[in-house]
């Protein structure tokens, strides 16, 4: 029978590093979490969380762990399994009978934390409940790969500054859990489990965790952080909440833009620029700059090296789903405000592009990809 097995959980003498071998059928992986400035508590829930979806994807049949697991957490895993199986019917179903569970404990109320990347959604999640939040928790190795040393350093400096300005504890948890998860499934599905796993290691010092939604109140897209999933990661001592903002990203920016620190520290870039926080040229940078203009916050922003590049925006290609919906909202707002007429012209062009133009752009992209595939091996010679 193919089995998911969590091996012996190791804790370093100083309590800053927790690791465990995860056996996935025939293959074994060592997963670690490290927090240099805070103590981590070893517990199986962290490793079961990150292994659940890969095990379902591999259609493993049974879970083994030689220890005791929270009853509430095991019930939650079963619920998460059902949600993912409706999204992905090819995923397998695990048998939990081999897990020994403990009854719920009467845990003391601990600190509360927001998982925080410094982007629009997590910033809003934090600022809108800043009086209830004790700490910002950043997972190092999550948005920025561990090998991007320089970018990670800048990111940490930036997050420390945010912590100082708002007088909040900032916790960095470094982990290779993303590398583990991405061997098996898309990060867009797996990331919620890595957040949950990291949170469990901070319990019982922390008992409440907020996961930012992604800025669209009506958005029920299949995604690793989701209102139907997040609460089910909870155990008796650690409660996870999907922090549905109830507003869209532009409204989040309008709220957060009241704070100067937001304007000085926002990081939304998909790339790892050589300096600064945001490249200003990737599609996420471009559309966020449009949202910032629509929200009236753009002139106060200090996180982009250059102003919005309209010729780059006019070449924006991957328009679909919630991003496209929100650019329509931005266009309507900008038309009414009459503040950035050139942006309005470009948005009209890309949002109402004719089908022949879309085909032409696709042809150009396909040709470029083919060309790059052929030319790259030559360059290596
Ligand atoms: Zn960028």
């Amino acid at each position: 029978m193919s089995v998911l097995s969590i091996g012996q959980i190791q804790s370093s003498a100083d309590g800053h590093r927790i690791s465990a071998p995860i056996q996935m059928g025939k293959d074994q992986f060592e997963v670690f979490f490290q927090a240099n400035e805070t103590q981590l508590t070893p517990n199986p829930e962290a490793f079961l969380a990150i292994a659940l979806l890969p095990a379902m994807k591999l259609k493993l049949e049974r879970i083994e762990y030689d220890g005791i697991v929270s009853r509430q957490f095991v019930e939650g895993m079963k619920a998460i399994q059902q949600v993912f199986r409706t999204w992905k019917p090819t995923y397998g179903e695990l048998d939990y009978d081999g897990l020994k569970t403990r009854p719920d404990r009467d845990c003391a109320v601990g600190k509360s934390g927001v998982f925080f990347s410094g982007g629009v959604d997590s910033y809003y999640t934090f600022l809108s409940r800043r009086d209830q939040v004790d700490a910002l928790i950043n997972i190092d190795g999550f948005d920025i790969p561990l090998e991007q040393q320089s970018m990670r350093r800048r990111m940490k400096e930036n997050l420390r500054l945010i912590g100082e300005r708002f007088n909040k504890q900032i916790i960095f948890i470094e982990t290779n859990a993303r590398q583990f998860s991405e061997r098996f499934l898309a990060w867009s599905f797996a990331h919620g489990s890595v957040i949950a796993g990291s949170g469990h290691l901070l319990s019982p010092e922390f008992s409440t965790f907020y996961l930012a939604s992604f800025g669209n109140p009506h958005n029920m897209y299949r995604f690793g952080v989701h209102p139907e999933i997040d609460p089910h990661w909870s155990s008796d001592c650690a409660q996870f909440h999907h922090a549905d903002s109830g507003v869209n990203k532009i409204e989040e920016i309008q709220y957060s833009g009241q704070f100067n620190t937001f304007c000085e520290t926002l990081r939304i870039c998909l790339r790892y620029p050589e300096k600064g926080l945001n490249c200003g040229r990737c599609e996420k940078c471009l559309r966020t700059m449009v949202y910032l203009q629509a929200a009236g916050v753009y002139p106060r922003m200090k996180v982009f090296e250059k102003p919005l590049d309209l010729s780059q925006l006019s070449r924006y290609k991957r328009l679909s789903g919630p991003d496209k919906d929100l650019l329509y909202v931005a266009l309507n707002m900008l038309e009414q405000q009459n503040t950035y007429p050139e942006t309005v012209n470009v948005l009209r062009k890309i949002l109402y592009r004719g089908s022949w133009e879309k085909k032409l752009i696709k042809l150009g992209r396909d040709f470029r990809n083919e060309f790059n595939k052929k030319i790259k091996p030559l360059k290596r010679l």
Side-chain angles (χ1 to χ4, degrees), residues 38-205:
T38 194
Q39 300 274 314
L40 298 175
T41 309
N43 67 58
E45 287 82 8
F47 296 94
L48 287 167
I50 61 169
L52 173 63
L53 297 177
M56 289 172 64
K57 176 84 183 284
L58 293 181
K59 295 190 173 65
L60 302 185
E61 293 167 34
R62 194 157 56 86
I63 305 183
E64 284 181 359
Y65 171 65
D66 186 17
I68 298 173
V69 185
S70 153
R71 180 208 59 83
Q72 188 183 339
F73 179 79
V74 174
E75 292 305 314
M77 282 206 298
K78 292 177 187 171
I80 290 167
Q81 180 167 271
Q82 292 316 313
V83 175
F84 271 96
R85 278 176 52 79
T86 59
W87 294 355
K88 289 275 182 186
T90 56
Y91 277 22
E93 190 160 10
L94 287 148
D95 177 346
Y96 297 81
D97 289 349
L99 286 180
K100 292 187 275 297
T101 59
R102 62 160 190 261
D104 293 347
R105 297 167 295 183
D106 192 10
C107 300
V109 175
K111 294 182 190 172
S112 63
V114 170
F115 291 98
F116 189 76
S117 65
V120 170
D121 298 324
S122 62
Y123 233 131
Y124 179 84
T125 300
F126 160 52
L127 289 174
S128 61
R129 47 177 63 71
R130 61 194 179 283
D131 295 338
Q132 308 154 36
V133 168
D134 298 300
L136 304 172
I137 305 162
N138 179 259
I139 306 176
D140 187 12
F142 190 85
D143 290 330
I144 306 170
L146 294 175
E147 62 271 19
Q148 291 286 341
Q149 305 276 4
S150 162
M151 187 71 232
R152 283 171 59 211
R153 213 165 27 247
R154 270 173 280 152
M155 183 70 178
K156 283 185 179 178
E157 281 168 17
N158 191 51
L159 293 173
R160 283 204 176 93
L161 177 67
I162 297 169
E164 276 169 28
R165 293 271 184 91
F166 290 102
N167 197 24
K168 301 291 178 190
Q169 184 183 4
I170 179 110
I171 294 173
F172 298 102
I173 302 181
E174 182 183 330
T175 179
N176 64 348
R178 178 170 182 164
Q179 283 105 311
F180 165 76
S181 301
E182 281 191 319
R183 287 170 184 264
F184 307 101
L185 69 158
W187 185 235
S188 59
F189 266 17
H191 68 290
S193 63
V194 175
I195 293 174
S198 304
H200 278 292
L201 297 171
L202 294 171
S203 159
E205 184 186 352

Side-chain angles (χ1 to χ4, degrees), residues 196-323:
S198 304
H200 278 292
L201 297 171
L202 294 171
S203 159
E205 184 186 352
F206 282 77
S207 60
T208 305
F209 299 96
Y210 296 102
L211 287 77
S213 69
F214 60 121
N216 186 339
H218 310 297
N219 191 338
M220 294 294 278
Y221 283 90
R222 297 164 180 187
F223 205 57
V225 170
H226 193 277
E228 288 179 16
I229 292 175
D230 303 345
H232 292 303
W233 293 120
S234 300
S235 71
D236 47 356
C237 296
Q239 299 300 309
F240 291 84
H241 300 277
H242 181 85
D244 198 340
S245 66
V247 295
N248 68 37
K249 269 185 201 288
I250 298 172
E251 292 163 317
E252 287 181 347
I253 289 169
Q254 280 174 327
Y255 179 84
S256 302
Q258 304 169 66
F259 299 87
N260 287 335
T261 302
F262 170 85
C263 302
E264 293 163 20
T265 58
L266 177 72
R267 180 188 175 266
I268 40 77
C269 188
L270 293 172
R271 295 181 186 163
Y272 318 113
E274 287 185 6
K275 59 177 186 167
L277 298 169
N278 301 289
C279 75
R281 295 182 65 80
C282 71
E283 295 197 343
K284 196 167 174 198
C285 277
L286 293 173
R287 65 175 184 265
T288 305
M289 287 161 110
V290 172
Y291 303 155
L292 288 159
Q293 289 187 344
V297 177
Y298 183 71
R300 294 177 42 235
M301 295 306 292
K302 297 188 173 72
V303 293
F304 299 103
E305 301 283 320
K306 292 177 191 164
L308 174 59
D309 183 337
L310 291 171
S311 65
Q312 191 78 13
L313 182 65
S314 70
R315 292 193 287 275
Y316 196 113
K317 296 174 195 113
R318 292 177 193 82
L319 267 177
S320 62
D323 301 336

